[in-house]
Amino acid sequence: MHELSMADAIVRTVIDAAEKNDAVEVLEVTVEIGQLTLLNPEQIIFMLEVLSEGTILEGANFNLEVVPAEIECECGYEGVVEADELDHLAPVISCPECGGHEFQVRAGRECNVKNIKIEKKE
Ligand SMILES: [Zn+2]
């Protein structure tokens, strides 16, 4: 239940931020999810909606932005790589320049709350 624990963490983060900012309602939440996290965006949204019931988050709009994988390879290639969409359980990525696997992953593993729109107390 990878998605559930992620969705739970997101909901807590948003509620915390909303309370600190005297929000009466959360209107919109934007979450960044790296392509390499293996999280299923549809499941995440579904769980966010379930978990937000009865909280300040209920009825908010959830937006997910998928962050593409980016690497810095030994061969000198720096940039985006395509993860294998067909295999969600283990996306294999290799350098598009040299086909190797000796690289640093610079992006694609994040799962962050990027933006929150709230309605404040008068
Ligand atoms: Zn390379």
Side-chain angles (χ1 to χ4, degrees), residues 73 75 77 95 97-98:
C73 184
C75 74
Y77 176 82
C95 173
E97 276 296 307
C98 69

Side-chain angles (χ1 to χ4, degrees), residues 72-93:
E72 196 174 325
C73 184
E74 273 193 342
C75 74
Y77 176 82
E78 286 180 36
V80 174
V81 279
E82 294 291 324
D84 185 355
E85 297 274 348
L86 295 175
D87 190 354
H88 281 287
L89 294 176
V92 178
I93 55 168

Side-chain angles (χ1 to χ4, degrees), residues 8-116:
D8 190 51
I10 291 167
V11 167
R12 282 165 201 260
T13 303
V14 174
I15 289 175
D16 200 45
E19 282 174 353
K20 280 183 186 150
N21 287 288
D22 292 327
V24 286
E25 200 185 341
V26 176
L27 304 173
E28 196 174 283
V29 180
T30 305
V31 180
E32 278 185 321
I33 292 187
Q35 207 178 14
L36 299 176
T37 58
L38 306 183
L39 296 165
N40 178 327
E42 281 165 26
Q43 274 188 42
I44 291 270
I45 292 207
F46 174 74
M47 283 170 190
L48 287 173
E49 286 172 354
V50 171
L51 291 171
S52 62
E53 274 172 32
T55 74
I56 195 171
L57 268 177
E58 190 167 342
N61 246 329
F62 293 103
N63 301 317
L64 287 195
E65 288 180 9
V66 176
V67 181
E70 261 180 54
I71 61 162
E72 196 174 325
C73 184
E74 273 193 342
C75 74
Y77 176 82
E78 286 180 36
V80 174
V81 279
E82 294 291 324
D84 185 355
E85 297 274 348
L86 295 175
D87 190 354
H88 281 287
L89 294 176
V92 178
I93 55 168
S94 46
C95 173
E97 276 296 307
C98 69
H101 298 92
E102 299 297 318
F103 48 72
Q104 304 280 324
V105 175
R106 290 200 313 197
R109 285 186 174 148
E110 46 280 277
C111 183
N112 305 314
V113 177
K114 190 184 175 190
N115 202 11
I116 305 172

